[in-house]
């Protein structure tokens, strides 16, 4: 069984973003959810992402391209355990939320594909 390290997934997500937003994304990685509360989770994730970014920058310099350092910052906070719940409550408070809820009958008629459509987020 092969699993992809979280630092690789975060780096890929940022690299797939528009180039003019990448530096801001690297210095504003925000942790949320109870699993991020493990001891030194944020510090280790930041270290691993920084290693990936530094290797990429070194490769660019070796190819003769000019590169400048990229700041990597993983932000932790004392309420990160509850951030997912806070986000869910904000989403549920939107007026569009109730129009986007799916019923069991909808699921039975359309199948799992109905879960891949998100009218709430497309309306925001």
């Amino acid at each position: 069984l092969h699993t992809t390290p979280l630092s690789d997934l975060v780096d890929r997500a940022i690299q797939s973003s528009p180039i003019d937003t990448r530096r801001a994304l690297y210095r504003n990685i925000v942790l949320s959810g109870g699993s991020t509360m493990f001891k030194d989770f944020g510090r280790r994730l930041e270290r691993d992402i920084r290693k990936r970014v530094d290797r990429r920058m070194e490769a660019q310099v070796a190819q003769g391209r000019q590169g400048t350092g990229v700041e990597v910052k993983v932000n932790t906070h004392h309420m990160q355990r509850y951030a997912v719940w806070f986000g869910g409550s904000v989403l549920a408070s939107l007026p569009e939320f109730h129009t986007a809820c799916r019923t069991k009958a909808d699921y039975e008629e359309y199948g799992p594909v109905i879960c891949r459509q998100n009218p709430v987020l497309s309306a925001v």
Side-chain angles (χ1 to χ4, degrees):
L1 178 68
H2 173 73
T3 58
T4 304
L6 182 59
S7 57
D8 293 4
L9 296 173
V10 172
D11 185 57
R12 272 194 235 149
I14 293 173
Q15 286 297 305
S16 68
S17 301
I19 195 164
D20 58 330
T21 64
R22 293 179 192 170
R23 285 185 185 275
L25 291 173
Y26 275 117
R27 67 177 175 263
N28 289 296
I29 299 168
V30 178
L31 298 180
S32 66
S35 298
T36 65
M37 300 297 292
F38 290 116
K39 182 174 172 54
D40 296 325
F41 182 91
R43 183 187 59 76
R44 289 178 303 180
L45 180 62
E46 184 174 309
R47 177 199 64 203
D48 293 346
I49 294 170
R50 184 174 293 118
K51 283 181 184 177
R52 287 185 57 85
V53 170
D54 289 347
R55 278 195 307 263
R56 188 170 31 256
M57 294 303 293
E58 289 169 5
Q60 288 179 354
V61 170
Q63 294 174 354
R65 290 189 273 170
Q66 188 177 23
T68 58
V70 175
E71 179 187 358
V72 176
K73 176 71 176 131
V74 174
N75 299 297
T76 61
H77 52 88
H78 68 283
M79 295 297 286
Q80 74 193 47
R81 173 179 298 174
Y82 307 108
V84 174
W85 291 104
F86 291 145
S89 70
V90 169
L91 182 62
S93 70
L94 294 174
E96 298 87 4
F97 178 76
H98 297 287
T99 63
C101 290
R102 306 295 189 197
T103 65
K104 182 179 178 189
D106 290 338
Y107 184 85
E108 288 172 351
E109 182 177 347
Y110 298 104
V113 72
I114 200 167
C115 299
R116 294 185 189 98
Q117 302 163 349
N118 195 329
V120 172
L121 296 179
S122 64
V124 174

